[in-house]
Amino acid sequence: METTKKSNQNKLINAGLAIVAPLPSILFYLAFLHNYTNPNHCLSSLWSWCYNHPVLLTFVLFFLNINVLFWTIAQLQSSHWMIHPYWPAVPIMIVYYYATHPTGNYNPWRSKMVIILTSIWSLRLSHNYFRRENWQWGSKEDWRFTDLGHQYGANWWWISFFTIYFSQQIFLMGVTLPYYIIHTIEAPWSIWDFVATAMCLTGIIVAYFADTQLHEFRTMNAKLEASGKSVIPILNAHLWQYSRHPNYFGEQLWWWGLGIFAWSLGQGWAFIGAFVNTLCLAYVTTLVEERMLKQPFRAEVYREYQKTTPVWIPWFKSSSLKETKDKTI
């Protein structure tokens, strides 16, 4: 009873922290919007800097509010859970910063479309996170962070700042560069905006169904295990029979589609963020597959799955899985 009460208290604390955590940067930015036109304000030089450096302003706010604050909270709680649910929230804040910054100059229809798409993407990813965590705040940290903690031991407390927080800042600032370009170049809506919109929506839909199918698979296995029955080694149905990681494929479509918005405005260099995202997902894919192969009850079936099913881009199997079909779903 006492353990349950303490657990509920921790959940309430984590929920409160998650709500309050982004307020420093939000309140600061609102103060900037309210005061930047007042030359007699005591912080006029600071407001002037914020006005002239929108990208650096975003970088500094992210560094102080996400990196420093979230890392500090993680040290106090001995858990790096908070960064994960904020992965879908940060792009929403960044796109609104650029859309409302006083130096913005953009096509309002393109801006609205990108904000709507980002909101849908964020809701999809947030829903998947909380569904996976049984609708709890901070129940556990990402297993990759836990593995890194074991790897680095006593030095993890300071290494975690760079491997989890600062690295994700560089990453997120890169993939969200199209937001800045979209809100600094005014150009008519073009056919490429339709292409980018379709690609982004396709990525969101593919990722949603892939994650839902994976969630249902895990739920079914949990019920089988609870009833004392053998679990099914791998998911090899629906989207997962055409790709080993359709959720990652959908996520890549989203970021590359966002890059097309910037490319259509003559700023193809913004694809660097999507490219780095692909490299990161390649590394994550390797970690996930290594983990699968370390589990004896699914290693053999998964090796066969690797031989016949594309890693990302959905396609038909190179050969049948007749021998292992009864072991998969």
Side-chain angles (χ1 to χ4, degrees):
M1 186 71 177
E2 187 66 27
T3 302
T4 302
K5 184 178 179 180
K6 186 176 181 180
S7 176
N8 290 333
Q9 289 177 343
N10 289 337
K11 292 174 186 176
L12 287 174
I13 291 172
N14 289 339
L17 282 172
I19 294 171
V20 173
L23 288 182
S25 61
I26 293 173
L27 293 175
F28 177 87
Y29 186 71
L30 291 175
F32 158 67
L33 292 179
H34 182 72
N35 297 301
Y36 79 94
T37 57
N38 182 4
N40 298 318
H41 193 276
C42 62
L43 297 176
S44 60
S45 59
L46 177 60
W47 304 141
S48 177
W49 183 89
C50 294
Y51 179 87
N52 291 308
H53 303 89
V55 176
L56 287 178
L57 170 61
T58 307
F59 188 91
V60 171
L61 290 178
F62 191 115
F63 180 82
L64 295 176
N65 198 161
I66 305 296
N67 291 358
V68 176
L69 180 59
F70 282 26
W71 177 79
T72 302
I73 292 172
Q75 301 312 304
L76 295 174
Q77 292 192 320
S78 298
S79 174
H80 298 279
W81 70 269
M82 190 177 289
I83 192 67
H84 209 65
Y86 267 94
W87 174 257
V90 170
I92 283 285
M93 291 189 282
I94 290 177
V95 73
Y96 271 105
Y97 282 157
Y98 289 143
T100 58
H101 195 277
T103 59
N105 179 42
Y106 51 87
N107 182 303
W109 292 107
R110 184 178 294 110
S111 173
K112 289 176 183 177
M113 178 56 71
V114 169
I115 289 173
I116 291 172
L117 288 170
T118 304
S119 300
I120 297 171
W121 171 84
S122 178
L123 286 172
R124 196 282 303 173
L125 203 57
S126 296
H127 172 262
N128 182 60
Y129 169 78
F130 285 108
R131 177 176 58 182
R132 187 175 66 244
E133 301 300 313
N134 295 318
W135 309 101
Q136 299 176 15
W137 291 93
S139 60
K140 61 181 182 297
E141 67 179 9
D142 190 288
W143 62 268
R144 289 162 291 194
F145 301 160
T146 303
D147 287 352
L148 286 171
H150 294 152
Q151 178 182 341
Y152 288 106
N155 293 318
W156 178 234
W157 73 272
W158 65 268
I159 293 177
S160 62
F161 180 84
F162 299 97
T163 56
I164 296 178
Y165 299 92
F166 190 70
S167 63
Q168 294 210 52
Q169 169 167 7
I170 301 300
F171 186 70
L172 266 172
M173 290 296 297
V175 293
T176 58
L177 279 174
Y179 292 144
Y180 173 70
I181 294 167
I182 290 164
H183 292 101
T184 53
I185 298 176
E186 185 177 9
W189 183 274
S190 72
I191 185 65
W192 288 110
D193 292 300
F194 285 109
V195 172
T197 299
M199 193 167 176
C200 287
L201 278 175
T202 301
I204 293 170
I205 292 169
V206 169
Y208 170 77
F209 281 105
D211 282 335
T212 297
Q213 291 159 10
L214 180 60
H215 175 73
E216 291 173 350
F217 171 75
R218 287 172 171 169
T219 301
M220 179 181 63
N221 262 350
K223 291 179 180 178
L224 289 172
E225 188 174 12
S227 62
K229 298 179 180 178
S230 299
V231 299
I232 299 169
I234 67 170
L235 172 59
N236 182 30
H238 313 299
L239 289 172
W240 296 79
Q241 65 181 311
Y242 303 108
S243 167
R244 302 204 301 272
H245 302 277
N247 48 348
Y248 294 167
F249 173 70
E251 190 70 4
Q252 288 185 77
L253 282 181
W254 156 256
W255 290 115
W256 282 96
L258 194 63
I260 290 177
F261 278 109
W263 174 80
S264 70
L265 297 172
Q267 305 298 317
W269 58 269
F271 276 126
I272 185 66
F275 177 70
V276 172
N277 175 62
T278 298
L279 294 179
C280 179
L281 281 179
Y283 175 66
V284 171
T285 298
T286 301
L287 292 180
V288 171
E289 299 214 337
E290 285 178 352
R291 194 182 192 211
M292 296 288 283
L293 294 173
K294 288 178 181 177
Q295 299 171 351
F297 75 98
R298 59 165 48 115
E300 181 181 351
V301 179
Y302 200 81
R303 287 192 186 94
E304 185 65 24
Y305 184 53
Q306 287 177 313
K307 294 176 183 177
T308 61
T309 309
V311 60
W312 281 339
I313 301 175
W315 193 247
F316 298 102
K317 293 185 180 298
S318 59
S319 63
S320 66
L321 280 178
K322 291 181 180 179
E323 295 181 1
T324 58
K325 190 172 182 179
D326 292 337
K327 303 177 184 178
T328 64
I329 188 171

